[in-house]
Amino acid sequence: MKITPYKIKKGFRYLKHYGLKAFWNRLQDKMEPEEVPYGPWFNRHSVKEEELTRQRKQSKKMAVQPLISIVVPCYQTPKKYLLEMMDSVRGQSYEKWQLCLMDAASFGETEQIVREYCSQHQEKRVQYFPLKENLGISGNTNAGFREAAGEWIGLLDHDDLLAPNALYEVAALINRDSDVEVIYSDEDQVEETKQGLEHKNPHFKPDFSPDLLCSNNYITHFLCVKRSLLNQVGGLRSEFDGAQDYDFILRCTEDAQKTGHIPKILYHWRIHSNSTADNPLSKTYAYEAGRRALEEHLKRTGRPGIVSQLPHFGFYRVKYQVKEEPLVSILIPNKDQWATLRRCIDSIQKSTYQNYEIIVIENNSVEPETFQYYQELLGKQKTEGSGNGREPDRAVAVNRSQAEGSGRLPGGQRVKIVVWDSGFNYSAINNFGASRAQGEYFILLNNDIEIITADWIEEMLGNCQRPEVGVVGARLYYPDETVQHAGIVVGIDGIAANMFPGLPRGREGYFHKAALQLNYSAVTAACMMVSREVFEQIHGMEEELAVAFNDVDFCLRVRKAGWLVVYNPFVEAYHYESKSRGKEDTKEKIERFGEEIEFIRTRWIDILKEGDPYYNPNFSLKKCNYVLKP
């Protein structure tokens, strides 16, 4: 990254805003070298003239050839930017378009530039509309909506650029899927250099992710909306100027029959010192407007929650309110490792939410200390040093069959020990524990988890009570303060993998995704909440998957049944991974692992072939940190 006086000045502004620690973490994210440099990648993958020629021919054969009206509010647009913007629209391989230029400047040369341009190119599709007064970004854009004649409306800023295949890709998607009413694409940024335009900072987006949209306006550009939907929701609202597009997108996606995503770079966002793309501090009022837009969205959709701005500009946190105080059953499979289990349960007892029960599913423990700890949990025995980490007396042993029972924690919560006598099968053990639970909601929790968020149950419950949500997961760390789990992507390493492993705590990864609430196809069952209703409707965990990928399969079945899977980074815990189970190092274990891989491949071949909808197909399936494919 080239150091310039402007960037130094910007750095000091950021330091003042974020504070030293957060600023350092952000700087490290910014300075992280690109494993696959984007500039050369863009040059390799940008559409070539041969393909554009094919598209021009193909577009004339499309069953549906909608007129796409592109609305551009203009205000004292520099001539160079205006000409380049118009060139980018005229260069489209799909030719059925209208460009509506809404000029709010009471003086200037915009009209003359446009008139000369249209005359030079004999172009009637570019249409200039002078506005009698400057109505602001929302009012000026709404005026463009009224002038637009198309069945679809696209939004373009006056100094930005469209890729030459942008409108063709939109029309192609409309032909593939008649239900789609909102369309967005991937985008990047362009900056003037001595060598010409430099492409940088690509934003490769997931398919529609409602929770990510409530964390950040990730959709932004290139946005196209069906005219009938636009008429239904209304135009931009001036009370949200600065975040008018965010408010508009929220309203459109609420009512759209379907929101479509084109995983290609179709929009180039120009950056310069006054643009929000390069200098978020230039429009701080916009982020407060975004917060208000999000609050209204929650009210309209009947999801009570508290919206707060995160330190990074334009990013938000929604804390959903818990309805009433339902009983939550925490299911913990356990074999020996009494000290590990104690640490887990001690951390649970620090929870601010009090209406829970703990069900420990005992599975073939052999160490006397484990059974003594069970007795202590049930309140049947107290040994010297218990509660302070000292080892219990090995002389005291309890027969496994006598371990089962119930008692009360110091806070009054019920704790149960139930015995699973068969061999280790994580799915069967949790299904058994669920059958003995009384709660309306289940938390599946490994015994090697240490909770570090006091209100973790409220965080998970607020999400899980949303009718559209089926599963909620957490952000987990290794003991060395690096990320162990921040969501799961299907297809990485052949089947699935955790995201951001090894990312230092405090770092946030690609577009802050490790630190944002968003949707994934799966989350780990090491710390996962699901309602009893959902759990029972999909018949619990798949017992054919004794060890591996049972959580992936569970989440995919939840999604197939119509619910969302939510990753909530505000639930944090340490994961002292897989201490009880041991390593996959025997012939029997290796064979079983292979069988479970084949089971997943057979059941979920479609998503493995088509790709995870929450992971952009331009990303590598060999890395877990949003690295581009070569």
Side-chain angles (χ1 to χ4, degrees):
M1 182 173 69
K2 185 179 179 181
I3 303 300
T4 64
Y6 168 68
K7 289 180 179 177
I8 293 173
K9 182 180 178 180
K10 187 170 75 170
F12 278 115
R13 291 200 302 262
Y14 274 59
L15 177 60
K16 182 179 179 180
H17 172 74
Y18 290 111
L20 183 59
K21 184 176 180 180
F23 172 76
W24 176 246
N25 283 326
R26 180 173 173 81
L27 184 63
Q28 287 181 300
D29 279 329
K30 287 283 189 182
M31 298 295 287
E32 190 80 29
E34 293 179 300
E35 293 189 38
V36 178
Y38 177 64
W41 186 97
F42 175 80
N43 291 333
R44 289 196 305 272
H45 289 85
S46 58
V47 65
K48 304 301 186 288
E49 187 56 41
E50 181 181 359
E51 170 61 17
L52 292 173
T53 300
R54 187 197 69 81
Q55 290 177 5
R56 291 185 186 100
K57 294 178 181 179
Q58 184 62 32
S59 63
K60 292 179 172 62
K61 300 177 183 178
M62 289 180 174
V64 179
Q65 299 178 34
L67 174 63
I68 303 174
S69 295
I70 303 169
V71 174
V72 181
C74 301
Y75 186 77
Q76 297 181 2
T77 311
K79 181 177 181 178
K80 175 179 171 57
Y81 295 169
L82 182 62
L83 291 174
E84 289 180 354
M85 181 270 292
M86 289 191 290
D87 281 343
S88 78
V89 178
R90 281 198 71 251
Q92 293 298 305
S93 59
Y94 181 82
E95 299 176 354
K96 196 173 180 182
W97 52 262
Q98 172 195 28
L99 179 60
C100 301
L101 303 176
M102 315 307 296
D103 187 12
S106 58
F107 59 91
E109 57 179 351
T110 300
E111 181 174 8
Q112 181 180 351
I113 294 170
V114 175
R115 301 296 183 201
E116 290 177 356
Y117 184 89
C118 291
S119 175
Q120 176 187 350
H121 297 285
Q122 295 296 296
E123 184 57 77
K124 296 181 179 180
R125 294 170 297 178
V126 177
Q127 298 176 3
Y128 175 82
F129 298 95
L131 298 174
K132 294 180 180 179
E133 59 179 320
N134 187 352
L135 302 174
I137 184 67
S138 295
N140 298 343
T141 304
N142 288 338
F145 291 161
R146 291 189 290 272
E147 298 293 346
E151 301 105 295
W152 281 80
I153 311 298
L155 293 174
L156 175 64
D157 287 349
H158 65 164
D159 53 357
D160 293 343
L161 305 169
L162 288 183
N165 57 325
L167 298 186
Y168 173 85
E169 297 293 350
V170 169
L173 177 54
I174 292 168
N175 276 268
R176 289 195 304 271
D177 191 343
S178 60
D179 291 336
V180 72
E181 295 184 309
V182 175
I183 295 173
Y184 66 95
S185 75
D186 299 342
E187 63 188 275
D188 67 7
Q189 297 175 0
V190 290
E191 185 175 22
E192 291 283 353
T193 69
K194 292 180 180 179
Q195 292 74 36
L197 284 177
E198 177 188 356
H199 290 262
K200 62 201 316 186
N201 300 330
H203 190 181
F204 292 101
K205 307 166 188 178
D207 287 353
F208 184 53
S209 172
D211 282 278
L212 180 57
L213 186 58
C214 287
S215 296
N216 166 247
N217 179 15
Y218 80 95
I219 287 179
T220 53
H221 315 112
F222 175 49
L223 179 71
C224 288
V225 179
K226 196 172 185 178
R227 162 67 77 176
S228 56
L229 178 65
L230 174 61
N231 292 340
Q232 178 181 334
V233 304
L236 305 186
R237 301 195 291 182
S238 60
E239 59 265 40
F240 295 100
D241 275 356
Q244 70 286 333
D245 53 346
Y246 191 20
D247 170 67
F248 181 64
I249 288 169
L250 287 167
R251 288 184 286 121
C252 287
T253 54
E254 286 169 26
D255 289 355
Q257 187 171 354
K258 189 172 182 180
T259 297
H261 166 228
I262 301 169
K264 297 182 180 182
I265 300 287
L266 302 183
Y267 192 99
H268 308 302
W269 190 4
R270 192 186 298 270
I271 62 174
H272 46 79
S273 60
N274 292 323
S275 70
T276 310
D278 188 53
N279 181 18
L281 286 164
S282 66
K283 293 186 178 180
T284 54
Y285 70 92
Y287 309 118
E288 174 59 22
R291 187 189 65 78
R292 290 188 289 105
L294 192 48
E295 284 181 336
E296 285 214 3
H297 166 69
L298 296 178
K299 290 178 183 177
R300 287 193 303 269
T301 55
R303 294 179 293 167
I306 299 172
V307 181
S308 57
Q309 293 190 52
L310 293 172
H312 297 294
F313 294 108
F315 292 85
Y316 304 93
R317 174 181 181 178
V318 179
K319 187 177 178 68
Y320 292 97
Q321 296 176 14
V322 175
K323 304 179 186 75
E324 300 178 342
E325 195 177 0
L327 177 64
V328 176
S329 298
I330 303 173
L331 313 179
I332 310 176
N334 187 70
K335 178 181 178 182
D336 292 318
Q337 299 293 336
W338 72 271
T340 298
L341 179 62
R342 179 195 290 281
R343 179 177 57 213
C344 176
I345 292 178
D346 284 352
S347 72
I348 293 171
Q349 292 183 82
K350 297 174 184 176
S351 304
T352 53
Y353 191 86
Q354 294 295 296
N355 193 24
Y356 63 84
E357 65 173 1
I358 294 176
I359 300 175
V360 177
I361 307 112
E362 153 58 29
N363 179 219
N364 296 318
S365 295
V366 296
E367 297 175 358
E369 299 92 336
T370 300
F371 297 101
Q372 183 174 346
Y373 178 59
Y374 290 162
Q375 294 298 297
E376 180 186 328
L377 271 178
L378 301 178
K380 296 180 179 180
Q381 187 172 322
K382 189 78 171 177
T383 59
E384 183 180 354
S386 63
N388 61 11
R390 289 175 53 183
E391 185 174 334
D393 184 357
R394 288 187 62 89
V396 180
V398 179
N399 185 283
R400 185 183 303 139
S401 63
Q402 298 174 327
E404 192 154 353
S406 62
R408 297 281 177 176
L409 297 173
Q413 297 85 5
R414 181 169 43 242
V415 58
K416 296 180 183 177
I417 310 294
V418 298
V419 176
W420 175 258
D421 281 324
S422 299
F424 181 83
N425 181 316
Y426 186 81
S427 297
I429 290 170
N430 275 290
N431 290 342
F432 175 67
S435 73
R436 305 293 293 272
Q438 297 183 4
E440 294 179 50
Y441 295 86
F442 302 152
I443 293 178
L444 279 57
L445 195 69
N446 281 15
N447 63 351
D448 54 2
I449 292 287
E450 180 183 5
I451 304 296
I452 53 178
T453 303
D455 63 347
W456 68 297
I457 297 179
E458 293 96 325
E459 280 284 353
M460 299 184 98
L461 192 54
N463 271 299
C464 217
Q465 288 183 324
R466 293 162 50 195
E468 71 274 20
V469 172
V471 169
V472 183
R475 177 161 46 169
L476 306 181
Y477 303 106
Y478 290 113
D480 67 355
E481 302 289 344
T482 62
V483 170
Q484 186 264 341
H485 167 271
I488 293 175
V489 167
V490 176
I492 293 184
D493 291 340
I495 299 294
N498 292 352
M499 297 308 294
F500 298 113
L503 183 73
R505 187 175 179 183
R507 298 269 300 277
E508 301 188 354
Y510 185 78
F511 278 87
H512 310 289
K513 280 185 168 53
L516 296 178
Q517 187 161 278
L518 67 157
N519 303 112
Y520 272 112
S521 285
V523 292
T524 179
C527 181
M528 180 175 82
M529 178 180 277
V530 59
S531 71
R532 174 188 290 275
E533 176 189 0
V534 171
F535 191 90
E536 292 180 348
Q537 185 164 326
I538 67 164
H539 308 294
M541 304 196 79
E542 175 55 71
E543 296 185 12
E544 289 292 320
L545 298 169
V547 177
F549 307 118
N550 36 53
D551 44 11
V552 173
D553 174 80
F554 181 84
C555 290
L556 289 178
R557 285 187 289 122
V558 167
R559 282 194 56 239
K560 187 176 182 180
W563 286 290
L564 295 170
V565 174
V566 175
Y567 161 67
N568 186 341
F570 307 108
V571 176
E572 298 178 284
Y574 291 114
H575 188 191
Y576 305 88
E577 192 174 16
S578 301
K579 283 190 173 183
S580 300
R581 180 163 57 86
K583 297 179 179 180
E584 299 294 306
D585 54 3
T586 67
K587 181 180 178 181
E588 179 184 359
K589 289 181 178 180
I590 292 171
E591 287 179 354
R592 185 205 59 236
F593 184 67
E595 291 171 357
E596 293 179 346
I597 287 176
E598 189 58 33
F599 184 96
I600 288 288
R601 282 180 176 161
T602 301
R603 175 174 280 182
W604 300 109
I605 188 65
D606 288 347
I607 189 172
L608 289 171
K609 283 184 175 180
E610 295 169 7
D612 190 324
Y614 296 113
Y615 197 62
N616 193 289
N618 292 292
F619 291 129
S620 171
L621 294 178
K622 297 180 180 179
K623 300 290 183 78
C624 303
N625 57 349
Y626 292 83
V627 172
L628 282 174
K629 287 179 182 176

